[in-house]
Amino acid sequence: MKNLLTLFAGLTFGFGLIISGMSNPNKVINFLDITGNWDPSLALVMLGAIPLAFLGFRWIETSHKTIFNEELHLPGKAHFNPSLLIGSLLFGVGWAITGFCPGPALVALGTGSVKAIFFVAAMLVGMLVHDRILKRVMKSNKS
Amino acid sequence: MSLIINWNDFTPISALIGGALIGISSVVLLAARGRILGISGIVGSLLQRANTPPDHYLWRILFICGILLATVIGNIFNLIPKLDIRSDYSTLIVGGLLVGFGTRMGSGCTSGHAVCGLGRLSPRSLLATITFMASGFLTAYVFYQLM
């Protein structure tokens, strides 16, 4: 049941990206390019998603457990560091020049688009460079 | 600089419905697994070696399979509008590297910070969201209007 619900969540998320237009890079670019031919649609994706997430999360967080009575794994809310800002800044640049963020890139990958394959491959390399190399260098500098 | 809204491409209803599905998905994942729906975290963690393999990999792989299944079903029933990827290959590679590196460094992307984080009223996610949105708007201006 737990696994079925996880698959269902992924399926719902995928359909959400497809229906909302988030999975279309050109629509994302037309949203980010305000002074171009501005298409404000994608602001409404957040408007549709956040209130439901807010209500659902409040309901779950008050019980402190999942519906299968397991622990919640919740990240901290108030931990600020330069990496948060620099990382988000770099992400914004990559997002704007391609129109892809990680979720929609996976949807595009499913269509078999060669361009999407290139993007996702580069994204995975970027993740590995951060997680494997940068973190190791920073650790060895500290010790 | 001027602001011209392109009403022809404006799709408020499908954006709201799609957004609602994304919100519902994040609630189902937290309720069933106790996990935050953050794609960069899900994909990034799959690239790491795990001490407790079944626990670490299973839910992440299932979730990604769900996304890919949505694409396959969407393709079969012709629900997916033709993908419009205007970037050339070099841009896609540079952008992919930046998105991968940046989301891991910033601990999240549009799903983890802008939907789940804001849904949890997290100040940390608000700061991240403001930063990548501002960076996205500014980059789009420079890249598409000035270059």
Side-chain angles (χ1 to χ4, degrees), chain A residues 2 5 59-74, chain B residues 27-36:
Chain A
K2 207 165 69 172
L5 279 172
W59 162 64
I60 298 162
E61 285 190 54
T62 45
S63 63
H64 301 289
K65 294 277 181 189
T66 69
I67 50 176
F68 301 103
N69 212 24
E70 290 176 320
E71 295 293 316
L72 301 179
H73 302 264
L74 296 171
Chain B
V27 174
V28 171
L29 188 67
L30 189 67
R33 287 276 168 177
R35 295 288 181 166
I36 291 290

Side-chain angles (χ1 to χ4, degrees), chain A residues 21-138:
Chain A
M22 278 296 293
S23 65
N24 185 352
N26 211 27
K27 197 166 177 72
V28 174
I29 290 170
N30 286 341
F31 167 66
L32 290 175
D33 187 12
I34 297 183
T35 60
N37 212 355
W38 194 43
D39 174 3
S41 310
L42 296 186
L44 297 174
V45 179
M46 285 171 77
L47 198 69
I50 294 170
L52 289 175
F54 171 74
L55 292 173
F57 289 3
R58 267 197 10 172
W59 162 64
I60 298 162
E61 285 190 54
T62 45
S63 63
H64 301 289
K65 294 277 181 189
T66 69
I67 50 176
F68 301 103
N69 212 24
E70 290 176 320
E71 295 293 316
L72 301 179
H73 302 264
L74 296 171
K77 291 182 181 178
H79 175 62
F80 298 103
N81 47 10
S83 320
L84 182 79
L85 289 178
I86 299 167
S88 298
L89 204 75
L90 296 175
F91 165 43
V93 174
W95 188 32
I97 64 174
T98 59
F100 275 129
C101 52
L106 293 182
V107 172
L109 190 69
T111 67
S113 147
V114 180
K115 282 190 165 181
I117 296 172
F118 269 79
F119 178 87
V120 172
M123 180 176 90
L124 295 179
V125 171
M127 288 178 165
L128 282 171
V129 168
H130 177 267
D131 293 0
R132 294 273 166 85
I133 299 170
L134 190 83
K135 277 200 171 156
R136 193 166 300 167
V137 170
M138 281 168 61

Side-chain angles (χ1 to χ4, degrees), chain B residues 108-120:
Chain B
C109 57
T110 11
S111 49
H113 279 313
V115 175
C116 296
L118 295 189
R120 294 176 65 217

